[in-house]
Amino acid sequence: MDAGVPITKPVSGAAMGLIKEGEEVRILTDIQGIEDFLGDMDFKVAGTDTGITALQMDMKISGLPMTVIAEAINKARPARLHILEKMLAAIDKPREELSPFAPRLLTFKIEPELIGLVIGPGGKTIKGITEETGAKIDIDDDGTVTVSAVDNEKAKRAIQIVQGLTRRLNEGDVYAGRVTRIIPIGAFVELLPGKEGMIHISQLADYRVGKVEDEVGVGDEVIVKVREIDNKGRVNLTRLGIHPDEAAAARKG
């Protein structure tokens, strides 16, 4: 529960032991390692406050009557409930969010025709994502993507990259991008992982710009709008006509 795993009810358990001398039987509650080693039975009982969820037994004798088994189960109940009470005193319900240190196994869908784009030539693209994030990525033929990672940030980064590669750009979309290179007539901006567009010098500001470098530099974050996607798939961007609410939403991602 502390890790944020959503469970229906908390479960506690107790290990029951047994010592048998001739016909005399003694049942031990909550045994330790030495009692397990020297005893004739190790009987683990786990369950909630309303019932048993699991049983496991190791025996060193040939058999036991059902009355002894029933007695061990009955004696395990108060022990289980006592342990459960102590557990609930520390934490009585699962955390609302999964622990950032808990391993992740997350799935989402992409369009099947975009699978090749994510994999890349000879698997180059998907290997690059794995190397960058440390997450493992598997893609089924129907477009189901499964991301497994040892922590939340690695999983989120891998998902962000894949979704960026497969997201379709539309005219009017607003992004918080980063300037990757500058040429005399404009600046190239990475909008999503692997997707770039260009801001023409005339679209950098609502006044005449003498040099692109006067407005932006490589590495700068800029808020841009997709102005046009031409018939060759080239993305033309603008910094003009962007509402403050659109800019705020783009910064939040």
Side-chain angles (χ1 to χ4, degrees):
M1 291 193 293
D2 189 40
V5 177
I7 61 175
T8 304
K9 278 191 170 188
V11 173
S12 63
M16 308 303 292
L18 179 141
I19 300 292
K20 187 174 186 297
E21 290 288 342
E23 296 300 316
E24 188 175 0
V25 173
R26 290 286 184 271
I27 293 175
L28 310 175
T29 300
D30 197 23
I31 61 173
Q32 300 180 42
I34 191 169
E35 295 161 333
D36 179 11
F37 180 75
L38 296 174
D40 296 311
M41 176 187 77
D42 171 18
F43 186 31
K44 298 180 180 69
V45 185
T48 68
D49 59 348
T50 56
I52 293 170
T53 57
L55 297 169
Q56 185 270 335
M57 176 183 282
D58 292 324
M59 287 180 54
K60 300 171 187 174
I61 51 180
S62 58
L64 287 170
M66 285 302 298
T67 53
V68 173
I69 301 298
E71 184 180 354
I73 291 174
N74 288 328
K75 286 190 173 183
R77 177 176 168 77
R80 290 193 299 104
L81 295 181
H82 176 75
I83 294 168
L84 190 60
E85 180 183 355
K86 298 298 182 182
M87 290 168 53
L88 293 175
I91 179 170
D92 62 352
K93 62 182 179 181
R95 307 288 186 199
E96 292 185 1
E97 294 186 2
L98 198 63
S99 166
F101 306 106
R104 295 315 203 259
L105 188 65
L106 306 175
T107 61
F108 61 100
K109 298 273 285 191
I110 63 172
E111 295 179 25
E113 61 266 29
L114 297 176
I115 293 173
L117 179 65
V118 177
I119 294 174
K124 180 179 178 181
T125 303
I126 199 167
K127 287 177 184 175
I129 300 170
T130 297
E131 289 172 1
E132 178 182 340
T133 65
K136 182 183 177 183
I137 302 169
D138 294 303
I139 308 178
D140 294 334
D141 292 340
D142 66 351
T144 299
V145 181
T146 303
V147 176
S148 55
V150 296
D151 64 53
N152 189 41
E153 291 306 312
K154 291 179 179 180
K156 284 170 61 177
R157 178 57 183 156
I159 290 172
Q160 181 184 43
I161 294 173
V162 173
Q163 290 180 335
L165 285 170
T166 57
R167 182 173 173 179
R168 298 188 186 277
L169 301 178
N170 298 298
E171 292 182 13
D173 288 348
V174 177
Y175 294 94
R178 195 163 300 279
V179 177
T180 56
R181 55 196 171 103
I182 291 173
I183 59 176
I185 63 168
F188 285 88
V189 176
E190 186 180 51
L191 309 171
L192 298 166
K195 290 191 176 181
E196 275 190 345
M198 192 190 83
I199 317 171
H200 189 269
I201 190 170
S202 64
Q203 298 296 316
L204 285 170
D206 57 3
Y207 48 82
R208 188 180 185 281
V209 176
K211 291 173 57 180
V212 176
E213 292 88 340
D214 293 338
E215 296 296 323
V216 295
V218 173
D220 287 354
E221 182 182 270
V222 290
I223 303 298
V224 293
K225 179 179 285 189
V226 178
R227 185 167 65 93
E228 178 192 25
I229 302 174
D230 66 19
N231 56 11
K232 293 183 179 179
R234 293 176 298 195
V235 180
N236 296 316
L237 306 172
T238 182
R239 296 176 72 189
L240 307 179
I242 300 173
H243 191 276
D245 290 346
E246 292 179 312
R251 287 191 180 95
K252 290 180 181 178

